């Protein structure tokens, strides 16, 4: 039984940090506030040469990533009686692949998080309170360490290019609208938002964990 519990300890320490990083990174790419902050900070929307504002672009990005039934990504600019598309076919395809990746990372994050909670509940009912308290603290510290490693990797242009080529692999021109909007320095905004959310999740889980596993006093 003790050997089996050790496996569960290791599983919790590995699974929980992965789920927190995956979910926090996924969520910030689905909310318009992330893009609004980036567009306001970098003035990226002004570089496109379109009448569409940064706020409107932010809503379009967020809406697309949160619409399961929406396959094609496109934003149209009103031009008299016509509606001119902003993005070309390659850009739309790149967004489609990004959406698929986000869907799978969201699914994986939820699955890992659910698995981590299940392991935690099992250990909470089978091992000593002091032991699960220590394991939970180690898991939260591991989450913080994994967050630092992840954000360092995201900040490296070479690493981002490797991941882009591997998982999306659609060549975009340097002056393409999509690159102007969410290319560098968008990663800085992503790092800020995902770090804040990840730290908040870690803090909440640690608070709950310490409350559950605190020593029970006889007259408390």
């Amino acid at each position: 039984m003790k050997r089996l519990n050790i496996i569960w300890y290791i599983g919790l320490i590995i699974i929980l940090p992965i789920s927190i990083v995956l979910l926090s990174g996924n969520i910030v790419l689905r909310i318009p506030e992330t893009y609004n902050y980036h567009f306001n900070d970098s003035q990226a929307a002004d570089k496109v040469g379109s009448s569409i504002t940064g706020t409107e672009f932010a809503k379009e990005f967020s809406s697309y990533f949160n619409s399961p039934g929406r396959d094609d990504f496109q934003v149209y600019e009103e031009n008299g009686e016509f509606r001119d598309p902003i993005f070309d076919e390659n850009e739309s395809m790149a967004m489609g692949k990004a959406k698929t990746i986000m869907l799978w990372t969201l699914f994986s994050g939820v699955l890992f998080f659910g698995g981590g909670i299940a392991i935690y509940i099992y250990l909470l009912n089978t091992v000593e309170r002091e032991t699960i308290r220590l394991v939970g603290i180690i898991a939260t510290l591991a989450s913080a360490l994994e967050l630092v490693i992840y954000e360092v990797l995201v900040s490296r242009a070479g690493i981002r290019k490797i991941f882009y080529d591997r998982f999306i692999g659609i060549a975009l021109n340097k002056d393409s609208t999509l690159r102007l909007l969410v290319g560098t320095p968008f990663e800085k905004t992503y790092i800020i938002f995902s770090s804040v959310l990840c730290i908040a999740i870690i803090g909440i889980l640690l608070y709950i964990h310490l409350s559950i596993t605190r020593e029970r006093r006889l007259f408390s």
Side-chain angles (χ1 to χ4, degrees), residues 134-155:
L134 177 59
V135 172
I137 292 174
I138 293 174
T140 55
L141 292 176
S143 300
L145 177 60
E146 185 172 318
L147 171 64
V148 172
I149 295 173
Y150 177 71
E151 304 301 11
V152 168
L153 292 176
V154 172
S155 68

Side-chain angles (χ1 to χ4, degrees), residues 25-27 29-30 35 65 97-107:
N26 198 286
I27 290 171
L29 291 175
R30 294 177 179 275
Y35 303 99
F65 287 134
K97 287 200 171 186
K99 182 177 181 178
T100 300
I101 294 170
M102 286 176 59
L103 180 62
W104 281 107
T105 55
L106 178 63
F107 175 78

Side-chain angles (χ1 to χ4, degrees), residues 77-166:
E77 182 178 22
E78 298 295 335
N79 182 16
E81 298 179 355
F82 303 97
R83 300 173 71 232
D84 297 331
I86 297 295
F87 300 99
D88 62 27
E89 184 177 354
N90 282 346
E91 291 169 324
S92 297
M93 290 174 60
M95 285 292 289
K97 287 200 171 186
K99 182 177 181 178
T100 300
I101 294 170
M102 286 176 59
L103 180 62
W104 281 107
T105 55
L106 178 63
F107 175 78
S108 301
V110 171
L111 186 64
F112 282 133
F113 189 77
I117 295 300
I119 293 174
Y120 180 81
I121 293 174
Y122 167 77
L123 292 175
L124 194 63
N125 292 299
T126 55
V127 303
E128 295 181 357
R129 190 169 297 271
E130 293 79 7
T131 302
I132 185 60
R133 185 180 179 88
L134 177 59
V135 172
I137 292 174
I138 293 174
T140 55
L141 292 176
S143 300
L145 177 60
E146 185 172 318
L147 171 64
V148 172
I149 295 173
Y150 177 71
E151 304 301 11
V152 168
L153 292 176
V154 172
S155 68
R156 302 296 179 87
I159 299 296
R160 293 198 306 275
K161 185 178 185 305
I162 290 174
F163 277 95
Y164 181 88
D165 292 342
R166 173 65 180 84

Side-chain angles (χ1 to χ4, degrees), residues 23-87:
L23 290 175
S24 60
N26 198 286
I27 290 171
V28 300
L29 291 175
R30 294 177 179 275
I31 58 176
E33 288 77 12
T34 305
Y35 303 99
N36 266 323
Y37 179 91
H38 166 65
F39 293 144
N40 291 332
D41 183 60
S42 66
Q43 303 298 313
D46 296 337
K47 301 174 184 177
V48 175
S50 168
S51 62
I52 299 176
T53 65
T55 301
E56 291 171 325
F57 274 122
K59 290 180 180 178
E60 290 292 342
F61 277 96
S62 176
S63 175
Y64 176 70
F65 287 134
N66 289 303
S67 301
R70 184 178 170 187
D71 297 325
D72 298 327
F73 175 75
Q74 189 56 264
V75 180
Y76 295 94
E77 182 178 22
E78 298 295 335
N79 182 16
E81 298 179 355
F82 303 97
R83 300 173 71 232
D84 297 331
I86 297 295
F87 300 99

Side-chain angles (χ1 to χ4, degrees), residues 20 140 196-210:
I20 293 174
T140 55
V196 169
L197 180 56
C198 192
I199 291 171
I201 294 173
I202 292 173
I204 292 171
L205 291 179
L206 181 60
Y207 174 79
I208 294 173
H209 169 65
L210 294 178

